[in-house]
Amino acid sequence: MDLDFLLEHVPEPQLAAIFGLLVGAVFGFSAERSSFCLRAATVEFARGSLGPKVAVWLLTFSTAVIWVQGAGLLGLFRAEEARMMAVTGSWSGAVIGGLYASGYSTEELEKLALDLDWQQVLSDDPPRQDVPFRRKQDDRDFLVKRKLSFRDDGSLGLPLGVIQGQNLALLLERLLVHTSDTRDFDRLPIPFRAVATDIANDQKVIFRSGHLPQAIRASMSIPAVFAPVEIDGRLLVDGGMVDNIPMDVARSMGVERLIVVDIGSPLLKREQLLTVVDVLNQSITMMTRRNSEAQLATLRPEDLLIQPALAGFGSTDFGRADQLIDAGYRAASALDGRLLTMRSESGGNPALSLARSAEPRTPLISEVRIENDSKVGDAVIRRHIRQQIGKPLDLQDLQKDMGTLYGLDYFEQVEYRVVHGQPGNTLVITTREKRSGTDYLRLGINLSDDFRGDSAFNIGASYRKNGINELGGEWLTRLQLGDHQELFSEFYQPLDAGSRWFVAPNLFAETQNVEAIMDNDPIAEYRLQRYGYGLHLGRQIANNGEIRFGIGQAWGEADVRIGDPELPDFNFEEGYYQLQYSFDTVDNVDFPREGEDIGLTLRQYDKGLGSDERYRQWEFKLDKAISHGPSTLVFGGRYGRTLDDAEVVTSSFMLGGARQLSGFRQDALPGQNISLARLIYFRRMTPRSFLPLDFPLYLGASLERGRAWNNDNEFDSGYINAGSIFVGYETPLGPLNFSYGLNDEAERALYMNLGRSF
């Protein structure tokens, strides 16, 4: 059976009306029942999980898609020729309906739903490769990912939602860039409405016009999960709060027959109400259900209600998308008879066909305009936008540029839109300063224990004051207490927009224990104290690295802590020139899957700068990660040299510990010269989570070969072969590793490491 056959037996006007109503209702109203989504999101948030419940998105989508595709395969109709009368929505309905109304085909929507990286979309963090290099270094110093923000007046700033929706907003802008010039939603290929709630006065807001991605984003702002969207002075949240199934809105658009998909969940039973959280969730369920039932009560005999079987499914079961699609298909198939009566004999929607044509959704850009209310100047923002005037919109580069801007930590949201006018298409970049403040406190922890009485423990904190001036000056202060004590303060001042060149004066003080070794035996442990200052001039290398040239002076003392009391204590002075190169493209500092981490430091101590001795040092570090499936190889190592005679205690590098010549305790092998080569393998043992918080488990092993030796005494460890096996777990406090290491020096150790250890 095909359309030609139907046209021969059914009058064309009637068939066109039925066909248009059918497809329009399926793709508009199949996602309307967002009460389940709202309740589930609240439950998840209350129980401490940060992932929004968007499986309802897939479910409502799949119910309609599978029916249409199945009917198409049977020759009942061609979806690409369908004509929809109207689409309305809140939350999932707005997303699906908005995309479909703007011209996306069912095939495109299905691919989008199944292929998107939902973990990335439902977080605010851009991919680490897109983050500015200076922000990448924060991850290495302080591994607690969450940070506290402070406003200019010193008060603690708290966000309005767990998720600000940065990546979600960018996704919508990218998908809907071709509709940027359509302000009247009746002028879309399919008329569209979105519903939101003004949280300040509990009023329903119906979007009939405006910026389509922004309207969709506002309609899906689940309270407390997503931050509200501010439009025209109103703070807007999920429309399901006041009208979960906006059937009245659809009827006001002239739609006479509705297809509604009910994905609501029942109330909890008495025996299931065990905690205050359960009671709170039940209250929210009752509230949203009431307005849903009020709308469902208006169903007419000619309307159609579809209720998929959801038992056994969780609202974050993205990995079970095929099963969810099947559930929707089976529920719709049970109503095939009624669905077939709603087919349209329309010859298609010309506007929709045009929107789905092969013409690329990439307009030509004639101007870039900045709308900015932050502390940094417009020139800083423009410097990070690579879009060329007179060229088609480069969405791939623009997405990365948005991630870089957001990664500066100055903005609550970074958005873009394309405005069409007489001169041409204008790319508008909008940045909004964070309401919660732009100064940050981060915490860190590092713990190492070999279960033989040797342990190292450090806790740290950093405070960064951002946006001191329009070029993006910042002041960073870092404090660490424990085995290695440190106080470091640096003022970072860009010299141009985009921080290509910068100057960075600093002050520092540090204390640590260093062993003195002679004839391969430790003879003493010194407590080394050093304090001083430095001045660096540098240049950033895109987002991947930087190169610095600087001078510094330091003073200190070394006191015998353990060992022969006859050994001398001594004071020292240092003055040096330094050249430092850093390069970082790894996607994760704890368990990298791809990228490189490279560091090279050249330092010359010179008597002309007040140094007691003249000598040269250099150190090279490399880690490169290569992955295939859940398995990853990291290969690299360290190489440090002291090229002239110098005091051993003040010029030593450190080796020893997990994957730093395993089997030895941490920092057990100090030497003026060191070499280390290693190969690390680990495999992710847990499936990838679709939630923003993902704490995977890894199993791994390492092979290592290294050496430590001095210039001015006879200490030389010779080349040592070592290896380890480990279990690793990513936690909110940093990586937790349990390792067993051994080497051919008959040293063995069991380690526990909390904090970065690679």
Side-chain angles (χ1 to χ4, degrees):
M1 182 182 298
D2 57 20
L3 186 59
D4 293 333
F5 176 83
L6 292 173
L7 287 171
E8 294 177 1
H9 295 80
V10 182
E12 182 173 349
Q14 296 179 12
L15 188 60
I18 295 172
F19 196 31
L21 178 62
L22 170 64
V23 180
V26 167
F27 287 97
F29 294 97
S30 63
E32 283 301 331
R33 292 301 304 263
S34 62
S35 61
F36 175 81
C37 176
L38 177 62
R39 295 195 300 270
T42 306
V43 171
E44 221 178 75
F45 174 72
R47 293 178 176 173
S49 178
L50 302 186
K53 302 295 190 173
V54 293
V56 62
W57 196 99
L58 291 174
L59 185 60
T60 55
F61 160 75
S62 63
T63 302
V65 169
I66 292 299
W67 184 86
V68 174
Q69 290 182 334
L73 290 173
L74 295 174
L76 299 178
F77 65 87
R78 297 186 180 94
E80 66 272 13
E81 297 177 355
R83 185 176 183 87
M84 184 180 291
M85 292 179 61
V87 181
T88 71
S90 63
W91 185 197
S92 49
V95 177
I96 299 295
L99 292 175
Y100 192 80
S102 69
Y104 278 84
S105 67
T106 59
E107 292 81 7
E108 289 176 306
L109 289 174
E110 181 178 24
K111 188 176 188 305
L112 182 66
L114 298 177
D115 294 347
L116 273 179
D117 184 350
W118 288 106
Q119 184 185 40
Q120 180 67 27
V121 170
L122 298 178
S123 72
D124 292 319
D125 297 331
R128 192 171 182 274
Q129 294 92 328
D130 299 339
V131 174
F133 178 79
R134 188 162 175 83
R135 298 288 79 83
K136 292 180 179 179
Q137 297 307 104
D138 293 343
D139 293 336
R140 299 191 174 278
D141 294 334
F142 297 95
L143 293 173
V144 178
K145 304 276 190 297
R146 302 300 164 186
K147 50 185 181 286
L148 298 175
S149 60
F150 295 85
R151 303 183 180 92
D152 290 344
D153 61 2
S155 62
L156 179 65
L158 297 175
L160 296 178
V162 176
I163 301 172
Q164 299 303 306
Q166 170 65 23
N167 291 337
L168 179 61
L170 291 181
L171 173 66
L172 293 174
E173 292 288 352
R174 175 171 62 85
L175 295 175
L176 296 169
V177 66
H178 61 292
T179 67
S180 295
D181 60 338
T182 305
R183 314 303 291 182
D184 184 354
F185 295 166
D186 285 333
R187 299 177 65 87
L188 292 168
I190 301 169
F192 174 75
R193 297 291 185 271
V195 179
T197 303
D198 188 336
I199 198 170
N201 54 31
D202 194 31
Q203 291 183 354
K204 180 167 68 174
V205 178
I206 302 173
F207 285 99
R208 299 175 174 85
S209 61
H211 186 51
L212 182 58
Q214 194 176 47
I216 294 174
R217 172 67 182 85
S219 73
M220 57 179 295
S221 295
I222 303 171
V225 178
F226 286 102
V229 176
E230 184 175 352
I231 301 178
D232 298 331
R234 298 178 297 187
L235 279 181
L236 304 178
V237 298
D238 187 356
M241 300 296 295
V242 292
D243 194 355
N244 202 35
I245 310 176
M247 297 165 54
D248 55 337
V249 178
R251 297 196 194 279
S252 69
M253 298 173 67
V255 178
E256 296 180 354
R257 302 178 68 186
L258 307 180
I259 298 177
V260 179
V261 181
D262 183 7
I263 55 174
S265 56
L267 295 172
L268 295 176
K269 298 180 179 179
R270 170 64 181 86
E271 57 270 17
Q272 295 175 300
L273 298 172
L274 303 176
T275 68
V276 64
V277 175
D278 295 331
V279 175
L280 176 61
N281 295 335
Q282 188 87 328
S283 302
I284 296 174
T285 299
M286 294 167 60
M287 178 185 65
T288 57
R289 191 66 185 177
R290 285 194 183 102
N291 77 65
S292 298
E293 291 176 348
Q295 288 290 332
L296 289 175
T298 67
L299 283 170
R300 302 171 181 173
E302 62 269 22
D303 298 328
L304 186 63
L305 177 63
I306 301 175
Q307 295 177 304
L310 300 177
F313 290 106
S315 54
T316 58
D317 286 334
F318 295 94
R320 303 173 64 189
D322 292 342
Q323 300 174 45
L324 290 168
I325 289 174
D326 184 65
Y329 174 74
R330 285 186 279 107
S333 296
L335 301 170
D336 275 350
R338 293 194 60 189
L339 285 169
L340 289 175
T341 65
M342 304 175 75
R343 289 177 297 135
S344 170
E345 62 181 40
S346 169
N349 183 340
L352 189 59
S353 300
L354 180 62
R356 295 175 179 173
S357 66
E359 182 180 351
R361 299 179 174 128
T362 51
L364 197 71
I365 301 301
S366 59
E367 182 186 357
V368 177
R369 187 170 77 240
I370 308 298
E371 296 178 353
N372 170 41
D373 69 352
S374 71
K375 299 176 182 178
V376 298
D378 294 355
V380 174
I381 298 170
R382 182 64 181 95
R383 175 64 182 81
H384 288 89
I385 304 300
R386 289 173 289 176
Q387 176 65 47
Q388 298 182 32
I389 303 299
K391 299 290 186 180
L393 182 65
D394 191 328
L395 285 173
Q396 184 175 0
D397 281 350
L398 186 57
Q399 290 289 118
K400 294 181 178 179
D401 296 342
M402 294 294 101
T404 301
L405 282 173
Y406 190 78
L408 293 172
D409 272 349
Y410 298 137
F411 314 111
E412 184 167 292
Q413 198 130 30
V414 179
E415 300 174 327
Y416 69 89
R417 67 183 189 274
V418 178
V419 178
H420 299 254
Q422 290 296 331
N425 301 318
T426 300
L427 174 62
V428 180
I429 307 297
T430 303
T431 58
R432 186 170 65 249
E433 187 173 73
K434 285 192 173 182
R435 299 186 184 96
S436 57
T438 58
D439 303 337
Y440 298 98
L441 175 67
R442 295 189 70 174
L443 304 176
I445 186 171
N446 177 272
L447 171 65
S448 177
D449 196 308
D450 63 3
F451 297 95
R452 296 188 301 178
D454 290 309
S455 62
F457 178 78
N458 296 288
I459 59 173
S462 72
Y463 187 82
R464 173 161 46 87
K465 187 172 182 60
N466 277 344
I468 295 177
N469 49 52
E470 286 195 351
L471 289 178
E474 60 184 55
W475 183 15
L476 171 68
T477 299
R478 183 170 68 234
L479 175 66
Q480 180 171 292
L481 301 175
D483 188 69
H484 183 184
Q485 300 175 12
E486 180 187 29
L487 175 63
F488 177 84
S489 186
E490 178 184 69
F491 184 82
Y492 178 89
Q493 177 58 59
L495 300 178
D496 63 349
S499 301
R500 290 173 297 178
W501 292 94
F502 63 88
V503 62
N506 63 76
L507 299 170
F508 62 88
E510 61 177 349
T511 302
Q512 67 181 125
N513 297 329
V514 179
E515 286 189 349
I517 301 178
M518 184 170 295
D519 297 330
N520 292 354
D521 293 317
I523 61 173
E525 183 177 81
Y526 281 85
R527 188 66 170 172
L528 180 64
Q529 301 179 61
R530 179 186 281 112
Y531 55 93
Y533 68 91
L535 177 64
H536 293 167
L537 175 67
R539 193 187 197 288
Q540 286 200 30
I541 307 171
N543 292 326
N544 300 326
E546 67 176 22
I547 186 169
R548 294 187 176 209
F549 174 78
I551 60 174
Q553 286 188 308
W555 301 264
E557 58 185 15
D559 301 324
V560 177
R561 180 174 177 268
I562 300 175
D564 188 349
E566 298 297 325
L567 290 173
D569 300 335
F570 60 92
N571 299 323
F572 61 90
E573 293 186 16
E574 298 174 331
Y576 54 86
Y577 305 99
Q578 179 175 287
L579 182 65
Q580 183 176 1
Y581 169 77
S582 302
F583 184 82
D584 183 354
T585 60
V586 296
D587 59 343
N588 186 308
V589 296
D590 303 333
F591 297 94
R593 289 188 48 79
E594 61 181 10
E596 302 86 31
D597 180 22
I598 303 172
L600 175 64
T601 301
L602 307 175
R603 181 176 287 187
Q604 177 171 314
Y605 295 83
D606 196 293
K607 292 183 178 181
L609 292 176
S611 184
D612 294 331
E613 301 173 291
R614 183 185 184 280
Y615 65 99
R616 296 161 294 166
Q617 280 188 315
W618 63 277
E619 184 180 18
F620 176 73
K621 301 178 182 178
L622 168 67
D623 282 306
K624 180 172 178 60
I626 302 174
S627 296
H628 179 73
S631 298
T632 300
L633 280 176
V634 180
F635 61 88
R638 297 171 59 197
Y639 193 81
R641 291 293 309 273
T642 302
L643 301 181
D644 308 284
D645 291 336
E647 170 59 48
V648 173
V649 175
T650 59
S651 62
S652 289
F653 302 98
M654 302 291 185
L655 276 182
R659 292 171 288 282
Q660 298 279 344
L661 283 186
S662 299
F664 293 104
R665 59 182 174 83
Q666 185 167 318
D667 297 337
L669 292 177
Q672 291 179 306
N673 309 281
I674 60 168
S675 66
L676 173 69
R678 63 184 184 179
L679 179 67
I680 301 171
Y681 168 84
F682 60 87
R683 179 182 178 89
R684 178 165 180 158
M685 306 305 296
T686 54
R688 190 169 185 271
S689 173
F690 292 93
L691 302 177
L693 290 181
D694 186 18
F695 307 142
L697 176 70
Y698 301 91
L699 292 180
S702 69
L703 294 174
E704 308 141 44
R705 180 177 173 86
R707 176 191 175 199
W709 71 101
N710 291 332
N711 294 333
D712 59 353
N713 62 41
E714 297 181 359
F715 167 65
D716 188 342
S717 70
Y719 283 102
I720 300 171
N721 299 311
S724 72
I725 56 175
F726 65 91
V727 176
Y729 186 68
E730 285 195 79
T731 77
L733 297 179
L736 176 63
N737 287 277
F738 292 93
S739 311
Y740 177 76
L742 70 166
N743 56 58
D744 56 13
E745 292 292 310
E747 297 281 348
R748 293 172 172 80
L750 182 65
Y751 306 98
M752 182 190 73
N753 291 87
L754 178 62
R756 191 169 62 91
S757 55
F758 280 11

